Amino acid sequence: MLIFVATVVLYVFGFVFLYGVIRLAVRHGIEDVESRRVDTQRAARLAGREDRAFVQENPFLTYQ
């Protein structure tokens, strides 16, 4: 009976531990995505400015 109780306790604590690890991993993943989103938006704005500057310097390359 003691082995059965120990097995059940370890089984339950294993699921609680696994839940905590998964939750922590998801939280860190979301934080990484948020930090990269800012960098991606900044890069997109920079690319737009560079494209406009390039077109102004080289209007013969645009199709009109």
Side-chain angles (χ1 to χ4, degrees), residues 26-41:
V26 168
R27 181 184 304 162
H28 283 287
I30 289 172
E31 288 174 359
D32 288 344
V33 167
E34 287 295 321
S35 66
R36 289 182 184 159
R37 183 178 58 85
V38 172
D39 295 339
T40 303
Q41 287 176 343

Side-chain angles (χ1 to χ4, degrees), residues 53-64:
F54 181 79
V55 168
Q56 287 175 352
E57 294 171 4
N58 304 299
F60 58 90
L61 295 176
T62 61
Y63 176 76
Q64 291 184 354

